[in-house]
C-alpha cells in the first residue's frame, strides 16, 4: 500500500504536508549538500521524480521505500523551488 509517483503529483494539493509512502527507484544521489544526502526517485507511473533529503544513503538503481511528509513547491531560497519533496523521510532499501 502506498502511492505511485504519478498519484502523488496528481493529488499533490490534497497530500501537501501529509505523510505519504512511496516505492521508487533511485535515479540520482547528490551526497552531503547542506549536511544532507539528496536522493531523487522515480517509478514507472511517471517521468517526474520526487526529491528525498535524508541522512540515509542509497545508490543509483536501488529500489527504495520512502515514508515521509510531502511538501510541494518547497522554496530553498535564491529562486530554487522543488516541486515535490518528501521531508523527514525514512528510506528503506529493498
Amino acid at each position: 500500500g502506498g502511492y505511485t509517483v504519478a498519484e502523488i503529483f496528481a493529488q499533490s494539493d490534497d497530500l501537501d504536508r501529509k505523510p505519504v509512502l512511496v516505492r521508487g527507484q533511485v535515479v540520482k544521489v547528490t551526497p552531503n549538500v547542506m549536511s544532507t544526502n539528496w536522493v531523487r526517485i522515480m517509478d514507472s507511473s511517471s517521468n517526474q521524480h520526487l526529491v528525498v533529503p535524508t541522512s540515509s544513503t542509497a545508490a543509483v538503481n536501488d529500489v527504495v521505500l520512502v515514508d515521509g511528509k510531502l511538501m510541494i513547491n518547497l522554496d530553498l531560497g535564491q529562486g530554487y523551488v522543488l516541486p515535490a519533496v518528501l521531508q523527514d523521510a525514512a528510506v528503506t532499501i529493498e
Side-chain angles (χ1 to χ4, degrees):
Y3 293 95
T4 65
V5 173
E7 289 171 333
I8 287 174
F9 277 97
Q11 300 174 39
S12 63
D13 288 338
D14 294 331
L15 295 174
D16 188 28
R17 302 186 186 277
K18 294 182 182 168
V20 297
L21 179 67
V22 63
R23 175 176 286 108
Q25 185 172 19
V26 176
V27 294
K28 184 176 181 180
V29 178
T30 307
N32 201 25
V33 174
M34 300 186 312
S35 300
T36 302
N37 298 320
W38 295 79
V39 178
R40 294 175 185 259
I41 66 169
M42 295 177 73
D43 65 17
S44 62
S45 71
S46 174
N47 64 352
Q48 296 174 298
H49 63 264
L50 297 172
V51 177
V52 183
T54 181
S55 60
S56 299
T57 57
V60 172
N61 294 323
D62 283 347
V63 175
V64 294
L65 186 63
V66 180
D67 187 4
K69 181 172 66 171
L70 179 65
M71 304 291 288
I72 60 168
N73 299 320
L74 183 64
D75 189 346
L76 298 178
Q78 299 183 1
Y80 198 66
V81 177
L82 297 174
V85 178
L86 293 177
Q87 294 269 65
D88 306 320
V91 177
T92 305
I93 298 172
E94 295 192 323

